[in-house]
């Protein structure tokens, strides 16, 4: 049994099979315990996995959402030309469950600590299926009140155009970020969004290296995807796209 915040995972191994059950509630701090079979609850969200009998150990690794996340500031705002700001987003951690044999691992399932709502980022012609964040982005990360099951994502936004930038929604792809352990919660590497045109496309730089947020950060998970700077449709707002879906 493995728990973190609102998520509890139950695992049982038999010859050639692993059973994984997912339970949701309020389980407090991270914990791990070996328990007898008669205390394992019956769960609707449970699955058997056929995996070789040599895989006798399991591990729970930190992971990011498998879709882009859409964040919002507390209120719609303007970033004037030549100006910038740093915002912080709180994102529920995903947990990747793996079976292990020596240095070989098999991914079993990736489970969110909290189920995120589905949303669409784009318009009626073009867009991407995403997750919407329940909490707004803040200028001060302490206002997010992060817990151990949360990732705090630092996002620097800079408006390089000759016009005001209206900021209501921002799409981010966290699979390009690294995960670090802090004192009380997790951090991702810093994301820099450089807006250089009058359209909604922006240059997004998913940086490498430890974010300079607190002392003693420790790398937990490096991204498997390390792109160069990407030009993405990052910003969305009603004023320019009245047909945009939410």
């Amino acid at each position: 049994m493995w728990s973190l915040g609102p998520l509890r995972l139950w695992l049982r191994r038999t010859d050639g099979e692993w059973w994984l059950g997912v339970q949701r509630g309020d389980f407090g701090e991270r914990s791990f315990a070996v328990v007898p079979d008669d205390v394992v609850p019956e769960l609707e969200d449970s699955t058997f996995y056929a995996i070789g009998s040599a895989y006798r150990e399991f591990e729970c690794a930190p992971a990011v959402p498998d879709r882009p996340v859409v964040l919002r500031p507390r209120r719609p705002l303007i970033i004037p030309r030549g100006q910038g700001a740093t915002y912080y987003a709180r994102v529920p951690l995903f947990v990747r469950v793996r079976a292990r044999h020596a240095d070989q691992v098999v991914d079993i399932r990736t489970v969110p600590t909290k189920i995120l709502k589905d949303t669409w980022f784009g318009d009626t012609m073009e867009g991407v299926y995403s997750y919407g964040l329940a909490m707004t982005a803040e200028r001060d990360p302490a206002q997010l009140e992060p817990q151990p099951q949360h990732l705090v994502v630092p996002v620097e936004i800079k408006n390089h155009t000759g016009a005001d930038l209206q900021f209501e929604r921002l799409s981010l792809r966290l699979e390009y970020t690294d995960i670090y352990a802090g004192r009380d919660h997790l951090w991702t590497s810093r994301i820099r969004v450089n807006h250089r045109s009058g359209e909604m496309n922006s240059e997004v730089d998913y940086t490498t290296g430890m974010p300079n947020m607190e002392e003693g950060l420790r790398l937990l998970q490096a991204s498997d995807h390390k792109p160069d700077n990407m030009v993405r449709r990052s910003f969305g707002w009603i004023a320019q796209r009245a047909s945009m879906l939410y």
Side-chain angles (χ1 to χ4, degrees), residues 163-212:
D164 290 345
L165 172 62
Q166 187 168 347
F167 173 27
E168 288 191 7
R169 302 202 305 166
L170 178 63
S171 175
L172 300 173
R173 297 174 180 262
L174 299 185
E175 68 265 30
Y176 300 116
T177 62
D178 302 327
I179 300 176
Y180 293 85
R183 288 187 300 272
D184 303 314
H185 59 84
L186 303 176
W187 293 90
T188 69
S189 46
R190 189 178 299 272
I191 300 173
R192 295 189 176 97
V193 181
N194 294 296
H195 196 66
R196 300 186 186 277
S197 73
E199 302 296 327
M200 288 186 290
N201 294 333
S202 299
E203 181 183 271
V204 184
D205 179 14
Y206 293 88
T207 66
T208 59
M210 191 175 299
N212 186 23

Side-chain angles (χ1 to χ4, degrees), residues 35-104:
V35 298
D37 285 346
D38 59 1
V39 304
V40 178
E42 293 186 6
L43 299 170
E44 291 185 7
D45 187 356
S46 65
T47 309
F48 285 92
Y49 299 85
I51 299 174
S53 58
Y55 292 84
R56 304 178 64 85
E57 300 177 348
F58 82 93
E59 63 185 26
C60 293
V64 298
D66 56 346
R67 300 183 213 152
V69 296
V70 178
L71 63 91
R72 301 172 182 263
R74 181 182 293 270
R75 60 188 68 83
L77 55 88
I78 298 291
I79 299 178
R81 57 186 180 181
Q83 297 300 304
T86 298
Y87 283 84
Y88 299 89
R90 193 183 81 179
V91 180
L93 179 70
F94 280 46
V95 178
R96 182 174 292 117
V97 183
R98 296 167 168 165
R100 174 175 288 277
H101 168 58
D103 59 348
Q104 299 178 352

Side-chain angles (χ1 to χ4, degrees), residues 209-221:
M210 191 175 299
N212 186 23
M213 304 307 306
E214 62 177 79
E215 294 183 358
L217 290 181
R218 178 169 53 90
L219 178 66
L220 289 183
Q221 188 71 39

